[in-house]
Amino acid sequence: MFVGFDYGSANCAVGIMQNDVVQLLALSEQSAYLPSTLYAMDRDLIAEAVYRSLPAEFKADYANKRAAQISRARMVRHELDLDANTQAVFVGEQAVSAYLDMPEEGFYVRSPKSFLGATGLRPEQVALFEDIVTLMMMHIKVRAESVLVEKGLVQPGAEAMITHAVIGRPVNFQGIGGEESNRQAETILTLAAKRAGFIGVDFLFEPLAAGMDYEATLTDNKTVLVVDVGGGTTDCSVVKMGPAHKHKADRSEDFLGHSGQRIGGNDLDIALAMDAFMPHFGLGSLMTNGKPMPSKAFWNAVAVNDISAQREFNTLSSRKLIDELIKEAEQPQLLSRLLKVQQQQLSYQLVRQAERAKIALSDAEKTDINLDFIEVTLHAGVSRDLFDNAIESSLTKVEALMHQALAQAAHTLAAKNVAATNALPQDIATVNIEQECKPDVIYVTGGTARSPAIYAKITGIYPDTPVVVGDHFGSVTAGLTRWAQKLFAKH
C-alpha cells in the first residue's frame, strides 16, 4: 500500500486513497495528527528501542554501529530499576505526558525535524537524530497499519501492509547550509524510513503537496502561489495548476519557483516566550550597577530549536552565570525563576505555554497564561499587539519568501519564452530579478497560518489577488497521498 507521510515539525500524519478520496488515518486515539515529540528516560534507551523493533535484515549492522549505546542501555535499566519489558521511550502525546511528569529526569525532544538539516552536527548527533526519527516512524507505521486492520482494508498479519511512502520535505531544512543541509536531512529521513520498514521512499516539497490537494478542486487553469507556514519552516511555491496539468506524470515544467526558510510556528512560539515571559524572569531588569541585564541566558532558555543554545543553557557554567546574575540583580527574585528553568529543564514547558497563548490569540485580543510550574501564583498576560510585535521580524521573512518565489517564477517563464522563440540565452538577463510573476490565486496552508497576524501579512502583500485558505493541517498530507499513488503505481 502507498501512503503520503507528513513527518511534520509540529505534527505527523499519514494518508491513504480510498475510492479516489484521501483518508487520513487516526494516529492517536482521537486525532489523525500525532505530536512530533519523543521522550526517553535516558537517551541511550532510544538506541535499544530502535534495535528491538528493527526488521531482521537491519539488526546485525545496527547492533554493530550502536554497540556502545545498547550496552549502556542495559546499565541504565539497572540503574533506573527498570525490567527489560518496561517502556522507557515514548512518542507523541505519551511523550508530552512523560515530559510534564518528569521534565528534569529524562531526554525530551520536540520537533526533531527542525534539527535534521542543522550545520555542524557531530557524527554522534547525526546518529541520535537517525534513531529518534526511526523510532517515531516505526511507531507511526505500526499505528497506521493497525488502523488499516481495524478498517478491514488489510488482513491481520499481512506482511508489509504499508510498503511505499512519499514524505514531505521543506524547500530548505535550514536557512543556512544550503543543499548540504538538505542532503543531510533527506539522508536521515531516508535511512529512518528504510529501518522503519518502508520499501520505497520518495520526497516532495511540502508547498507543492499542499498545492496538489488544492488543484484537485480546480476547474480552470491557474498560476498559484502556495504559502505553507508550518511548525518549523515556511515554504512558497509558484505552480501552474488545473485540468491541463494535474494528470501529468512529470510536473517539473509546472513548478516555476520555490523558496523556503526555517521560520515557522516554533520560531513564533520562541519569540513570544522571549517577549511575553522572560521579563518575568529578569529580562529587561537592571543590575545593581545600573546596567541592563545581559540577554543571552534568557534567549538560550527559550531557544528550544537551537541545539547550541540548549546545550549551552544546560551546562554547569550557565547555572553558575545565573547564580552570579542573581547576586548582581536589583530584582534577584526574578532571576531565581530563570535558575529554576535551568535546573529543572523547563524550557519546553515555557515554549509550550507560549504556543498556547498564540493559539488563544487567534480568537481573542488578550489571554492570561498560567506559569504555576515556576511559581504557584505566577501568570503572564499576553495581548495580540504584544504577539504582533514579537513576531514582526518573522513576518518580514515570510513576505521576503513570497517575493523570492515569484521573482524566481518570473525568471523561469522568461527562460521558457527565450527557448520558445529561439532568442539568445543572454536575453534572459534582461529580466529584472526583482520582477515578479503575478499569481492568479494565493493558496495558504499550514497550522501557523491560522494566526490572524500571519494571515493579515500574507493577504496584505497582494491585496488584489484572491486568497484561498486550505486545510491548515491536512492539505500537505493529502497532496503527498495523491502523489504517492501517481508515483508508485507506475512501478
Side-chain angles (χ1 to χ4, degrees):
M1 179 172 286
F2 313 143
V3 300
F5 190 166
D6 182 9
Y7 182 73
S9 298
N11 297 286
C12 300
V14 171
I16 62 168
M17 292 293 291
Q18 280 188 289
N19 302 319
D20 204 34
V21 176
V22 175
Q23 298 287 335
L24 269 59
L25 302 179
L27 298 185
S28 57
E29 289 188 7
Q30 298 180 342
S31 175
Y33 305 101
L34 184 82
S36 296
T37 55
L38 179 142
Y39 179 90
M41 293 183 181
D42 184 275
R43 73 170 61 190
D44 286 321
L45 294 171
I46 298 172
E48 176 199 64
V50 171
Y51 176 74
R52 289 181 175 183
S53 300
L54 273 176
E57 64 266 27
F58 293 109
K59 279 188 177 288
D61 180 63
Y62 183 84
N64 181 56
K65 290 178 177 177
R66 300 288 193 274
Q69 291 94 327
I70 294 172
S71 177
R72 287 197 296 269
R74 288 191 289 268
M75 293 187 290
V76 168
R77 281 191 175 271
H78 177 73
E79 292 168 359
L80 297 178
D81 196 24
L82 301 173
D83 64 44
N85 296 318
T86 300
Q87 184 177 358
V89 185
F90 306 87
V91 173
E93 299 97 330
Q94 289 186 342
V96 175
S97 297
Y99 166 70
L100 293 176
D101 288 342
M102 303 174 288
E104 74 278 11
E105 296 177 18
F107 173 77
Y108 180 71
V109 59
R110 177 189 183 213
S111 304
K113 181 181 177 182
S114 299
F115 301 102
L116 302 185
T119 57
L121 290 181
R122 300 189 300 273
E124 62 270 24
Q125 291 175 314
V126 172
L128 175 62
F129 283 114
E130 288 173 354
D131 290 347
I132 290 170
V133 179
T134 297
L135 199 59
M136 292 181 70
M137 287 189 171
M138 285 174 168
H139 176 92
I140 290 166
K141 187 171 186 289
V142 168
R143 173 60 186 170
E145 289 176 341
S146 71
V147 173
L148 293 175
V149 171
E150 292 169 8
K151 287 178 171 287
L153 298 176
V154 296
Q155 293 300 313
E159 292 187 8
M161 300 176 191
I162 295 176
T163 57
H164 295 68
V166 171
I167 300 174
R169 55 150 288 185
V171 175
N172 289 306
F173 283 88
Q174 293 278 319
I176 58 175
E179 281 308 306
E180 184 59 36
S181 287
N182 293 334
R183 279 191 293 271
Q184 174 181 284
E186 264 200 22
T187 299
I188 292 172
L189 289 167
T190 301
L191 177 62
K194 295 288 187 180
R195 286 176 172 171
F198 291 98
I199 297 170
V201 177
D202 207 274
F203 294 91
L204 182 67
F205 286 154
E206 288 158 356
L208 297 182
M212 285 178 178
D213 185 50
Y214 169 59
E215 183 178 45
T217 69
L218 289 178
T219 56
D220 299 313
N221 297 320
K222 296 182 183 296
T223 299
V224 181
L225 169 61
V226 182
V227 183
D228 179 9
V229 190
T233 58
T234 293
D235 295 293
C236 300
S237 288
V238 183
V239 191
K240 285 188 173 296
M241 297 183 184
H245 306 278
K246 64 183 178 182
H247 296 297
K248 294 181 182 177
D250 181 0
R251 298 296 300 272
S252 56
E253 288 295 306
D254 299 330
F255 302 152
L256 305 179
H258 312 290
S259 65
Q261 189 175 348
R262 201 190 79 167
I263 181 74
N266 293 338
D267 300 274
L268 306 189
D269 300 338
I270 289 167
L272 183 57
M274 185 70 170
D275 283 18
F277 298 164
M278 284 298 101
H280 296 278
F281 294 76
L283 178 66
S285 63
L286 298 177
M287 296 189 291
T288 53
N289 61 9
K291 292 183 178 180
M293 193 65 63
S295 63
K296 186 175 183 181
F298 301 96
W299 175 252
N300 288 348
V302 296
V304 294
N305 63 355
D306 185 322
I307 293 175
S308 298
Q310 283 294 285
R311 186 167 56 230
E312 182 178 345
F313 185 66
N314 291 324
T315 60
L316 180 60
S317 60
S318 180
R319 184 173 302 184
K320 290 179 178 178
L321 171 63
I322 298 171
D323 278 330
E324 290 301 315
L325 292 176
I326 291 173
K327 295 174 185 177
E328 299 174 14
E330 284 190 353
Q331 298 173 280
Q333 73 279 9
L334 299 183
L335 275 296
S336 295
R337 295 169 178 168
L338 183 65
L339 182 62
K340 182 173 182 177
V341 175
Q342 198 276 344
Q343 290 175 325
Q344 298 187 16
Q345 298 182 33
L346 299 175
S347 294
Y348 280 102
Q349 286 206 47
L350 279 173
V351 176
R352 187 166 180 263
Q353 291 301 93
E355 180 185 23
R356 288 183 171 178
K358 177 187 70 179
I359 294 170
L361 291 171
S362 296
D363 301 313
E365 289 293 331
K366 295 181 180 179
T367 188
D368 192 75
I369 298 299
N370 199 336
L371 301 175
D372 59 356
F373 58 92
I374 302 294
E375 285 181 10
V376 175
T377 60
L378 182 61
H379 59 92
V382 187
S383 68
R384 191 174 286 180
D385 284 343
L386 190 156
F387 176 59
D388 291 350
N389 290 333
I391 67 171
E392 184 176 356
S393 63
S394 297
L395 296 181
T396 300
K397 292 176 183 177
V398 171
E399 179 177 359
L401 289 171
M402 292 171 66
H403 290 308
Q404 183 181 339
L406 290 167
Q408 187 182 110
H411 199 263
T412 300
L413 290 172
K416 289 182 178 181
N417 289 336
V418 166
T421 59
N422 294 318
L424 296 175
Q426 56 264 34
D427 290 345
I428 301 175
T430 63
V431 178
N432 187 334
I433 195 61
E434 297 300 324
Q435 182 179 337
E436 296 181 354
C437 169
K438 180 172 174 53
D440 298 313
V441 176
I442 298 174
Y443 180 68
V444 181
T445 186
T448 304
R450 291 183 305 163
S451 166
I454 296 287
Y455 182 77
K457 167 59 75 172
I458 293 171
T459 56
I461 296 170
Y462 303 100
D464 298 328
T465 302
V467 175
V468 174
V469 179
D471 179 345
H472 284 304
F473 292 105
S475 60
V476 170
T477 312
L480 295 172
T481 304
R482 293 181 184 280
W483 190 248
Q485 308 314 304
K486 185 173 293 187
L487 179 68
F488 294 124
K490 297 185 299 181
H491 303 299

